[in-house]
Amino acid sequence: MIYAAILGHGVVGSGVAEILINEHKRISDKVKDDIEVKYILDLRDFDDLPYSDKFTKDFNVILQDEDVKIVAEAMGGVNPAYDFVKKCLNAGKSVVTSNKELVAAKGAELLSIAKEKNVNFLFEASVGGGIPVLRPMSQCLAANEITEVKGILNGTTNYILNKMIVDNMPFDEALKLAQDNGYAEKDPTADIEGHDACRKICILASLGFGKHVYPEQVKTEGITDISLDDVEYADNFNCVIKLIGTATKLADGKISAHVRPTLVSRDHILSGVHGVFNAVVVTGDETDDVMFYGKGAGKFPTASAVVADIIDCAKHLNSRKYVFWEDGDSDYVVTPDLKTRLYVYAKSNDYDALIETSALAFPDHDGIIKNRYKSEIAFLTDEDTESSLREKIASIKADKVKIMHTLF
Amino acid sequence: MIYAAILGHGVVGSGVAEILINEHKRISDKVKDDIEVKYILDLRDFDDLPYSDKFTKDFNVILQDEDVKIVAEAMGGVNPAYDFVKKCLNAGKSVVTSNKELVAAKGAELLSIAKEKNVNFLFEASVGGGIPVLRPMSQCLAANEITEVKGILNGTTNYILNKMIVDNMPFDEALKLAQDNGYAEKDPTADIEGHDACRKICILASLGFGKHVYPEQVKTEGITDISLDDVEYADNFNCVIKLIGTATKLADGKISAHVRPTLVSRDHILSGVHGVFNAVVVTGDETDDVMFYGKGAGKFPTASAVVADIIDCAKHLNSRKYVFWEDGDSDYVVTPDLKTRLYVYAKSNDYDALIETSALAFPDHDGIIKNRYKSEIAFLTDEDTESSLREKIASIKADKVKIMHTLF
């Protein structure tokens, strides 16, 4: 018999409890031992559940019970999850979590404690919900050097952008619909400003490249500035706009990382990722691009990934899974001046000056969309270093300029 | 020091040797031990390689060397690979292979020997080359019941179909181009007749559902009968034609499995899998659809997956990875009469009779493409049981009728 505890009985925590209890036989068959939920920590009362007797409001009961070998943290947020997880690991308990905020902020430290205590700290569900990403990345790609990780890491923003692209729905309306359908929180900031995607690219980069990348090191841009005009211009360039998180290993071993709205060519596999689906593309030196795709959120997809980690912990109670990265440092993430193509949107009350200066800045460019009626232009630049492109763009006389990156 | 041997120095075998030797340090770091290639079995001479001293023509040298703990089989075909692998497992050596023909034909038996001898038999590279599929399926989806596995499992046919779809290139020409580019063998039968995809869906179904599905149990249809007209009609229905392998678990626990050209809606994620890329969609009861995508073949993608399995064996020399399925039986795979939509193409010298009888068979159907010039029609049926649809189709007076399944 292996005893487990669940911290938090919200969406994910209750899903974990339900799967562990309802699917007890199937899971026991896989583990070849019984996994029994002994405690569920929550400050609220849940009196009407078939497993109401398992609830406790006192974390110390769980911490001090030596029978509890596996703890599933499903509270979310950094505090008090960080304190609780640290104490559990230090007490020799394996911990699994779906908490991306915690892993992105404290992963290196918690992994180091887990290593020291010879227990496991697993967090497959923290990226991509029910999509297996971290485990195949760390195991199957063992023979590869990973050179880039990128993807559509947030279902809420992908749902909103999709509504804008397919249904020509303005941003505000699409956000409202996402909220009504339960795809976006009342306070949607973490999603639409890119913070959620940022945490996930941090975890992917940390695991993929072996050193912790912290959220504050990743330049993050959300989707609030995307208009239906941008969507339409992108379509003209055979592109769709997606919020893409990317982390690239540079030749000197440093990392370039960012989250930003990006024009993705319709020929790129990521352009076909619709609605609340997520997808992570891992580029290895031997495998080329490999993509993992699925629903990135939702109670049961996420809970099932947490349960898979619990099963893995139960099967490796006395050995460690190889999931580890070192702490990072302040100059690990850099902003290199790479060759790229940019999408440029510019608007001016003085349309003639706009046309004239853009023709001077990009003299050989023949793919400019000119919209005299709206007094605006849009184009894709040819490839050049980003600094050189931005210098040219700066010379365009406009009241408003919007620049987006591209992915072909 | 852990000694390994490689059976066969063809495309995959030489890739495995090169990665193990050239990336020795990186791999040793991951395993926390040295993996040293001690022997390479090949009947040919390779005198000019930096590792020419490792070659042997005598399998028994490898079999009898107790220092060799891991054997990578990269010979291909069932014989003599089957005999060699069986002997290695029986001698207590772990075996990894990319040989789908072997695993599809003999997987249950070899897994049972591996279990008995407490060694590992791993074959990640046998499906999807460098794409991690089997491992995430068996591990990350541990908390799920898998209900369906399907995908684009053969890069050669996907390349050919893609050329037909995008470049309007006739089948014969596209096949020739695939051969010229090294994507198709001189004898392309195994690819274009669907046998290769069939072996892969057998392996996926066996692992996903726990009992061996044998290739001869899977109804398999190739792509040789697809014309540019079909491609064009499919486009009219917003579909692309793909060779899809599918295995579905039915309510009674039996399996439905087939490989066949299928009209895939452009809204389905599999429609965006182009060229030599493969993709496997796994449907779990908790996760919904999860997709794994990447290059399904190629020397280094495949070899890197074999090396990842070698690393896994090295890390688990004294314990078993949970990869197992039971033997199947003759009535395990059935042909249920499911509800479906079919693509129908019919041609007749008597065009008026064709139109009249098709209108009688499908009276309410308004989406029929009528091509008087070619004396043919094409349409998608509404949803009904397959038997009922086929009965109606049989009543159409035509010289030639072609029926394809669909995926929406």
Side-chain angles (χ1 to χ4, degrees):
Chain A
M1 181 79 78
I2 299 169
Y3 287 104
I6 301 168
L7 309 184
H9 194 259
V11 174
V12 175
S14 63
V16 172
E18 285 165 39
I19 295 176
L20 283 178
I21 291 164
N22 297 338
E23 305 287 338
H24 185 260
K25 193 189 164 314
R26 179 145 56 93
I27 291 168
S28 301
D29 285 354
K30 300 227 180 196
V31 180
K32 302 197 186 81
D33 200 339
D34 278 327
I35 297 184
E36 175 88 23
V37 179
K38 191 160 179 183
Y39 305 107
I40 302 171
L41 179 75
D42 206 294
L43 294 179
R44 295 165 292 178
D45 290 313
F46 293 93
D47 293 333
D48 300 330
L49 295 172
Y51 51 88
S52 289
D53 57 313
K54 298 182 188 296
F55 280 85
T56 175
K57 289 176 178 156
D58 182 1
F59 169 67
N60 287 310
V61 171
I62 296 169
L63 183 64
Q64 284 154 17
D65 188 333
E66 288 189 5
D67 285 348
V68 174
K69 300 292 183 201
I70 303 168
V71 175
E73 185 275 307
M75 298 187 296
V78 174
N79 294 307
Y82 169 53
D83 180 46
F84 287 1
V85 168
K86 205 155 91 167
K87 283 179 174 153
C88 288
L89 292 171
N90 271 316
K93 302 178 196 303
S94 284
V95 175
V96 308
T97 183
S98 60
N99 186 336
K100 47 202 161 266
E101 211 177 332
L102 175 67
V103 179
K106 304 290 181 184
E109 184 190 348
L110 296 171
L111 283 168
S112 145
I113 299 173
K115 189 179 180 183
E116 190 193 315
K117 294 291 174 181
N118 199 36
V119 293
N120 284 300
F121 178 51
L122 301 178
F123 38 85
E124 177 64 65
S126 68
V127 178
I131 319 170
V133 177
L134 302 182
R135 190 173 275 107
M137 244 179 88
S138 67
Q139 291 199 343
C140 297
L141 303 175
N144 272 266
E145 183 148 13
I146 293 172
T147 54
E148 189 168 86
V149 193
K150 61 175 172 284
I152 294 170
L153 304 170
N154 179 272
T156 307
T157 44
N158 203 51
Y159 176 88
I160 293 171
L161 290 171
N162 209 46
K163 282 284 158 199
M164 295 174 74
I165 294 163
V166 176
D167 299 332
N168 205 35
M169 191 183 280
F171 173 82
D172 293 334
E173 217 174 296
L175 171 59
K176 172 87 173 46
L177 190 67
Q179 287 172 318
D180 291 348
N181 285 327
Y183 298 143
E185 314 265 336
K186 259 189 207 166
D187 176 359
T189 314
D191 289 323
I192 63 176
E193 295 296 354
H195 303 149
D196 178 75
C198 171
R199 290 166 195 149
K200 291 169 182 168
I201 198 68
C202 286
I203 298 172
L204 290 166
S206 301
L207 182 66
F209 306 133
K211 278 176 79 168
H212 201 120
V213 173
Y214 289 93
E216 53 275 22
Q217 296 179 301
V218 177
K219 207 180 157 198
T220 299
E221 210 181 308
I223 63 164
T224 52
D225 201 29
I226 311 287
S227 69
L228 285 179
D229 288 337
D230 294 320
V231 167
E232 195 183 320
Y233 294 137
D235 187 52
N236 268 289
F237 304 128
N238 197 33
C239 290
V240 288
I241 300 176
K242 298 281 183 190
L243 184 66
I244 303 286
T246 311
T248 312
K249 189 167 195 170
L250 305 171
D252 62 0
K254 307 243 172 189
I255 302 298
S256 159
H258 33 73
V259 172
R260 58 198 181 196
T262 304
L263 270 73
V264 180
S265 159
R266 283 192 194 274
D267 293 330
H268 195 286
I269 185 81
L270 283 174
S271 71
V273 177
H274 303 305
V276 293
F277 280 81
N278 286 17
V280 177
V281 175
V282 180
T283 310
D285 57 350
E286 311 286 9
T287 53
D288 205 333
D289 283 2
V290 166
M291 187 175 86
F292 307 100
Y293 161 98
K295 276 195 182 152
K299 174 174 177 168
F300 285 110
T302 306
S304 78
V306 173
V307 170
D309 274 352
I310 293 175
I311 291 174
D312 220 359
C313 284
K315 286 161 76 177
H316 293 85
L317 273 186
N318 301 308
S319 64
R320 291 195 65 251
K321 302 289 296 180
Y322 191 79
V323 176
F324 191 73
W325 61 73
E326 293 170 25
D327 201 1
D329 40 57
S330 60
D331 64 346
Y332 178 49
V333 182
V334 297
T335 310
D337 188 22
L338 301 176
K339 287 214 165 189
T340 185
R341 296 180 68 185
L342 296 175
Y343 162 85
V344 182
Y345 162 94
K347 191 182 181 73
S348 171
N349 281 329
D350 186 347
Y351 184 69
D352 292 333
L354 179 66
I355 295 295
E356 195 181 315
T357 52
S358 62
L360 278 170
F362 296 91
D364 304 322
H365 207 75
D366 51 5
I368 298 188
I369 297 173
K370 296 174 185 168
N371 191 332
R372 178 176 287 276
Y373 170 67
K374 290 191 173 174
S375 210
E376 64 189 27
I377 59 168
F379 59 98
L380 284 186
T381 70
D382 291 333
E383 193 175 81
D384 201 348
T385 59
E386 186 168 342
S387 64
S388 162
L389 290 173
R390 284 188 183 271
E391 200 175 304
K392 288 180 189 168
I393 295 164
S395 73
I396 297 174
K397 281 205 173 161
D399 305 321
K400 181 176 180 181
V401 173
K402 202 187 304 185
I403 298 172
M404 274 192 267
H405 282 77
T406 56
L407 178 59
F408 285 91
Chain B
M1 181 77 80
I2 300 170
Y3 288 104
I6 301 167
L7 311 185
H9 195 260
V11 174
V12 175
S14 63
V16 172
E18 285 165 38
I19 295 176
L20 283 178
I21 291 164
N22 297 338
E23 306 286 339
H24 185 262
K25 192 188 164 317
R26 178 146 56 93
I27 292 168
S28 301
D29 285 352
K30 301 228 178 196
V31 180
K32 304 198 184 80
D33 200 340
D34 279 328
I35 297 184
E36 174 88 23
V37 179
K38 191 158 180 185
Y39 305 107
I40 301 172
L41 179 74
D42 206 295
L43 293 180
R44 296 165 293 180
D45 290 313
F46 293 92
D47 292 335
D48 299 330
L49 295 172
Y51 51 87
S52 289
D53 56 314
K54 297 184 189 295
F55 280 85
T56 174
K57 291 177 175 151
D58 182 2
F59 169 67
N60 286 311
V61 171
I62 296 169
L63 183 65
Q64 284 155 18
D65 188 332
E66 288 188 6
D67 286 348
V68 174
K69 299 292 184 203
I70 302 168
V71 175
E73 185 276 307
M75 298 188 296
V78 175
N79 294 306
Y82 169 52
D83 180 46
F84 287 2
V85 168
K86 204 155 93 166
K87 283 179 174 152
C88 287
L89 292 171
N90 270 316
K93 301 178 197 304
S94 284
V95 175
V96 308
T97 183
S98 60
N99 185 336
K100 46 203 162 266
E101 209 178 334
L102 175 67
V103 180
K106 304 289 181 183
E109 184 189 348
L110 296 171
L111 283 167
S112 144
I113 298 172
K115 189 179 180 185
E116 189 194 316
K117 294 292 173 181
N118 200 35
V119 294
N120 284 300
F121 177 51
L122 301 178
F123 38 86
E124 179 63 66
S126 68
V127 179
I131 319 169
V133 178
L134 301 183
R135 189 173 277 106
M137 243 179 88
S138 67
Q139 291 200 344
C140 296
L141 303 175
N144 271 267
E145 182 149 13
I146 294 172
T147 54
E148 189 168 87
V149 193
K150 61 176 172 283
I152 293 170
L153 304 170
N154 179 272
T156 307
T157 45
N158 204 49
Y159 176 88
I160 292 171
L161 290 171
N162 210 44
K163 281 284 158 200
M164 294 174 74
I165 294 163
V166 177
D167 299 332
N168 205 35
M169 191 183 281
F171 174 82
D172 292 336
E173 218 175 294
L175 170 60
K176 172 85 173 48
L177 190 66
Q179 287 171 319
D180 291 348
N181 285 326
Y183 298 142
E185 314 265 338
K186 257 189 208 166
D187 175 0
T189 314
D191 290 323
I192 62 175
E193 295 295 354
H195 302 149
D196 178 76
C198 171
R199 289 164 195 149
K200 291 169 183 167
I201 198 66
C202 286
I203 297 171
L204 290 166
S206 301
L207 183 66
F209 306 131
K211 278 175 78 167
H212 201 120
V213 172
Y214 289 93
E216 52 275 22
Q217 296 179 298
V218 176
K219 206 181 157 197
T220 299
E221 210 181 309
I223 62 164
T224 51
D225 199 29
I226 312 286
S227 69
L228 285 179
D229 287 336
D230 294 320
V231 167
E232 197 184 319
Y233 293 137
D235 187 53
N236 268 289
F237 304 127
N238 197 34
C239 290
V240 288
I241 300 175
K242 298 281 184 189
L243 185 66
I244 302 286
T246 311
T248 312
K249 189 168 194 170
L250 305 171
D252 61 0
K254 308 241 170 189
I255 302 298
S256 159
H258 33 74
V259 171
R260 59 199 181 194
T262 304
L263 270 73
V264 180
S265 159
R266 284 192 193 273
D267 293 330
H268 195 287
I269 184 81
L270 282 174
S271 72
V273 177
H274 302 307
V276 293
F277 280 81
N278 286 16
V280 177
V281 174
V282 180
T283 310
D285 57 350
E286 311 287 11
T287 53
D288 205 332
D289 282 2
V290 166
M291 187 175 85
F292 306 101
Y293 161 96
K295 277 196 182 152
K299 175 173 177 168
F300 285 110
T302 307
S304 78
V306 173
V307 170
D309 274 351
I310 293 174
I311 291 173
D312 219 358
C313 284
K315 286 161 76 177
H316 293 85
L317 272 187
N318 300 309
S319 64
R320 291 194 67 249
K321 303 288 295 178
Y322 192 79
V323 176
F324 192 72
W325 62 73
E326 293 170 23
D327 200 359
D329 40 58
S330 59
D331 64 347
Y332 178 49
V333 182
V334 296
T335 310
D337 187 21
L338 301 176
K339 286 214 167 191
T340 185
R341 294 181 69 186
L342 297 175
Y343 162 85
V344 181
Y345 162 94
K347 191 180 181 73
S348 171
N349 281 328
D350 185 347
Y351 184 68
D352 292 331
L354 179 66
I355 295 294
E356 194 181 315
T357 53
S358 62
L360 278 171
F362 296 91
D364 304 322
H365 208 73
D366 52 3
I368 297 187
I369 297 173
K370 295 173 185 169
N371 192 332
R372 178 175 289 275
Y373 172 67
K374 289 190 174 174
S375 211
E376 64 190 26
I377 60 169
F379 59 98
L380 283 186
T381 70
D382 292 333
E383 193 176 81
D384 201 348
T385 58
E386 185 168 343
S387 63
S388 162
L389 290 172
R390 285 189 183 268
E391 201 176 304
K392 287 180 189 169
I393 295 164
S395 73
I396 297 174
K397 280 203 173 162
D399 305 322
K400 182 176 180 183
V401 174
K402 202 186 304 185
I403 298 171
M404 273 192 268
H405 281 78
T406 56
L407 178 59
F408 286 91

